Amino acid sequence: MKHDKLTTAPASPAEDTDLSTRVLFVSSEVSPVMKTGGLGEVAGSLPAALAELGDDVLVMMPAYRDALERMGPVEKLPVALDHFGEPVEFLKGRLPRNDLPVLLVAIESLFDRPGNPYLGPDGESWPDNADRFCAFARAVAEVAMDRVGMDWQPELVHCNDWQSALVPALLAQEEDRPATMFTIHNLAYQGVFPTDVLDLLQLPESILGMDGLEFHGQISFMKGGLLYADRVTTVSATYAREIQTEEYGCGLDGVLTQRAEHLSGILNGIDIHVWDPASDPKIAAHYDREDLDGKQMNKQALQKEMGLPEVADVPIYSMIARLIEQKGIDLVIDAVPSLLKLQVQLVILGDGEARFEQALRDLAEEHPEQVAVYIGYNEGLAHRITAGSDVFLMPSRFEPCGLTQMHCMRYGTPPIVRATGGLADTVRDVGMVDIDPLQANGFVFEDASVDALLHAMGHARVIYDQPERWRTLQQVGMDGDYTWLASAIAYRMSYQQAIAERTVS
Ligand code: ADP
């Protein structure tokens, strides 16, 4: 018997069955069972928003050991595939939190290992990543073609980032295939491997070569999504334009320009239930736009937790990020000596490149009264910093969308951002002449330079000392609509376009 609908999420008033689509949503990480950054958060919330609008959504991801441990019970599908003599099994379960159906691809030698989905304990990429995500893509393609005994075929397969980018390329070889959509969450990570992995990957000849996956004598998984998906999206309108330029195109601007007619930007939302200062169980006190007293209590708790002097009128500038150049952490480190003269405290949470981690530890040691650093990944602390700090720093060199600036605005913590990608699309500068002061929600600067960052930091310090203006800035940010609804509607329209434009092989 055909499954009419896999999704059991309650229908909302916005449900529109005419547009209802059977969607296979594919991601290498899905919060809350596996998250290393923005992609995991998106995959943990967009499918639920689609299901609420009436789509029949099945999420698919690899069966990492840690992800399985965080799942409820799973059921093994009767059909298994083969990966070089090893079984590829499909485990069906439901995601904690939103209860959406999820299908996990279990291949013991590739996914049954602890820790980070992409990196080994040495911080380097797992040496068999090409094999892992090629095998994953093959398994997804089999599900998409309804060949695993589920009696369910999606009308659209939505793939995300390089780890699932081979899926559209594999499906392009099939007759009667579903439509495909590929979303770029970060073009800088492309899954590029030397050609000697080709024997192992056993990909069809037709998708290799210059017009296929070849990229400067290597193999690019990302190109599979960019070239073969019926539609390509990225996570903000500005980033969609930027990646078609040499400066931001990471060597793929030519391919993207070629697909320009099928490329668009859809801004991410955030999970407003997980990120809600009025109910967040991870923070010291709850608050909302009308009553910000709780924010002050969170500030005091944060100062205590981080070992900083508990002073109320000194603003805490903060940053939560992967410590890599993309995020402009080097600019922040270089700005610290001048920043500290502004009488502020600085709290940083992150992990990443060893040189930045060390520089931050050194700064905390040199300035224990003003700088506190936590090196590592700590979700609870991320929430407490978001709630307890006053100004958030996001001086990214590029930022496809960025979620943390939206978390912060929702928590009354105005961000300082560089005008790029999704930051330019979500933050409106206080000083911008064409912005009504009642519209401004943060501070925006243009150049990726220490001077430009310091200028914005100084501006924030001046406004912070004007309580009424500061409160307006906070409230405008807190009033923003960060839900997934508008984005989910835009995705559904793109799905319909992809289905209509599907190129038949
Ligand atoms: P990216 O995906 O490039 O890392 P985003 O701003 O889109 O950047 O998303 C980052 C997500 O990861 C946010 O939810 C942020 O709170 C979280 N995050 C980043 N670093 C840490 C950390 N060290 N500890 C806890 N959460 C973190």
Side-chain angles (χ1 to χ4, degrees):
M1 208 186 80
K2 276 245 176 267
H3 291 269
D4 280 327
K5 208 159 185 254
L6 284 166
T7 307
T8 54
S12 79
E15 177 165 335
D16 177 351
T17 41
D18 284 339
L19 277 180
S20 173
T21 309
R22 286 188 304 280
V23 181
L24 182 62
F25 190 96
V26 187
S27 175
S28 57
E29 50 182 279
V30 181
S31 175
V33 295
M34 182 55 76
K35 173 181 163 187
T36 71
L39 171 62
E41 188 162 334
V42 171
S45 40
L46 170 60
L50 292 167
E52 268 195 39
L53 290 174
D55 284 344
D56 181 9
V57 190
L58 175 64
V59 177
M60 221 175 145
M61 69 177 291
Y64 309 111
R65 186 185 295 175
D66 294 0
L68 272 181
E69 279 168 11
R70 293 174 195 135
M71 291 272 312
V74 291
E75 184 192 324
K76 201 184 286 181
L77 294 191
V79 174
L81 307 174
D82 174 76
H83 179 75
F84 297 103
E86 188 182 354
V88 177
E89 292 177 326
F90 295 92
L91 309 176
K92 187 138 178 255
R94 290 199 174 263
L95 285 171
R97 220 150 63 195
N98 61 26
D99 205 37
L100 278 190
V102 59
L103 195 62
L104 300 119
V105 177
I107 308 172
E108 195 182 330
S109 68
L110 301 185
F111 298 122
D112 186 15
R113 55 183 80 160
N116 188 290
Y118 321 120
L119 310 175
D122 55 359
E124 299 293 323
S125 297
W126 293 110
D128 55 355
N129 271 351
D131 189 17
R132 296 170 77 222
F133 292 106
C134 184
F136 175 58
R138 269 211 202 89
V140 172
E142 292 303 300
V143 172
M145 294 307 296
D146 193 16
R147 291 195 289 243
V148 297
M150 280 204 309
D151 216 0
W152 182 85
Q153 183 164 28
E155 293 157 283
L156 182 122
V157 183
H158 185 169
C159 300
N160 295 278
D161 274 354
W162 73 265
Q163 296 90 345
S164 53
L166 287 183
V167 175
L170 293 173
L171 286 176
Q173 319 301 309
E174 303 274 358
E175 276 178 36
D176 293 330
R177 66 172 178 85
T180 51
M181 168 135 150
F182 179 67
T183 299
I184 306 162
H185 295 262
N186 193 335
L187 191 64
Y189 301 94
Q190 300 179 358
V192 174
F193 301 96
T195 45
D196 56 16
V197 297
L198 275 176
D199 287 345
L200 188 69
L201 301 182
Q202 295 185 319
L203 292 167
E205 283 289 324
S206 54
I207 62 168
L208 305 173
M210 282 253 291
D211 296 332
L213 304 187
E214 190 188 325
F215 185 65
H216 301 292
Q218 296 190 293
I219 293 295
S220 160
F221 280 32
M222 178 71 104
K223 271 186 90 184
L226 302 186
L227 287 172
Y228 295 97
D230 297 305
R231 283 205 77 78
V232 178
T233 65
T234 188
V235 289
S236 67
T238 296
Y239 194 59
R241 284 191 299 276
E242 287 174 339
I243 55 179
Q244 294 179 57
T245 66
E246 201 182 336
E247 189 183 352
Y248 291 93
C250 303
L252 288 169
D253 38 300
V255 177
L256 287 158
T257 318
Q258 193 185 313
R259 297 292 327 264
E261 267 183 46
H262 301 271
L263 168 68
S264 57
I266 301 176
L267 201 65
N268 286 333
I270 59 172
D271 189 327
I272 56 158
H273 304 298
V274 173
W275 294 95
D276 182 0
S279 62
D280 187 339
K282 297 187 171 79
I283 64 177
H286 294 149
Y287 59 96
D288 58 30
R289 76 177 303 285
E290 303 307 333
D291 180 4
L292 281 154
D293 288 352
K295 186 157 177 66
Q296 197 58 38
M297 290 159 77
N298 282 295
K299 178 170 180 173
Q300 204 182 354
L302 180 65
Q303 286 167 324
K304 194 179 179 124
E305 176 173 1
M306 300 303 288
L308 291 168
E310 289 169 45
V311 280
D313 54 350
V314 171
I316 303 181
Y317 285 43
S318 68
M319 184 162 178
I320 304 166
R322 293 179 293 122
L323 303 175
I324 53 172
E325 258 183 40
Q326 176 201 333
K327 300 289 179 181
I329 182 64
D330 52 319
L331 302 177
V332 173
I333 290 169
D334 291 346
V336 166
S338 308
L339 172 66
L340 296 185
K341 291 190 192 128
L342 297 178
Q343 297 247 318
V344 306
Q345 295 178 340
L346 178 65
V347 171
I348 296 185
L349 163 64
D351 56 5
E353 284 184 38
R355 60 183 169 135
F356 297 135
E357 293 182 353
Q358 193 51 49
L360 290 171
R361 283 196 191 97
D362 292 346
L363 283 171
E365 215 174 285
E366 274 165 47
H367 308 280
E369 298 281 297
Q370 278 182 284
V371 182
V373 168
Y374 182 107
I375 302 295
Y377 193 90
N378 184 330
E379 237 168 274
L381 183 56
H383 283 245
R384 295 193 290 279
I385 292 174
T386 304
S389 59
D390 297 293
V391 181
F392 190 72
L393 304 175
M394 215 159 163
S396 304
R397 290 197 163 73
F398 67 93
E399 194 60 70
C401 177
L403 298 173
T404 34
Q405 83 280 11
M406 292 192 265
H407 299 157
C408 285
M409 288 190 282
R410 189 157 158 77
Y411 279 63
T413 309
I416 294 179
V417 306
R418 193 172 97 72
T420 183
L423 300 176
D425 293 353
T426 53
V427 184
R428 298 178 296 273
D429 185 66
V430 172
M432 234 183 246
V433 265
D434 53 345
I435 292 275
D436 171 349
L438 294 176
Q439 295 288 316
N441 55 10
F443 302 86
V444 183
F445 65 97
E446 293 285 336
D447 294 341
S449 70
V450 176
D451 280 352
L453 172 61
L454 270 170
H455 186 265
M457 287 168 153
H459 192 193
R461 184 72 182 88
V462 169
I463 308 282
Y464 179 81
D465 279 340
Q466 302 170 34
E468 260 180 49
R469 280 188 80 184
W470 192 257
R471 179 164 280 243
T472 304
L473 192 61
Q474 289 179 300
Q475 286 176 334
V476 173
M478 295 178 90
D479 288 343
D481 178 5
Y482 308 110
T483 63
W484 272 102
L485 182 64
S487 315
I489 290 171
Y491 273 110
R492 297 183 94 208
M493 289 173 63
S494 279
Y495 290 170
Q496 294 306 316
Q497 276 177 304
I499 290 168
E501 292 167 2
R502 179 171 69 98
T503 45
V504 180
S505 61

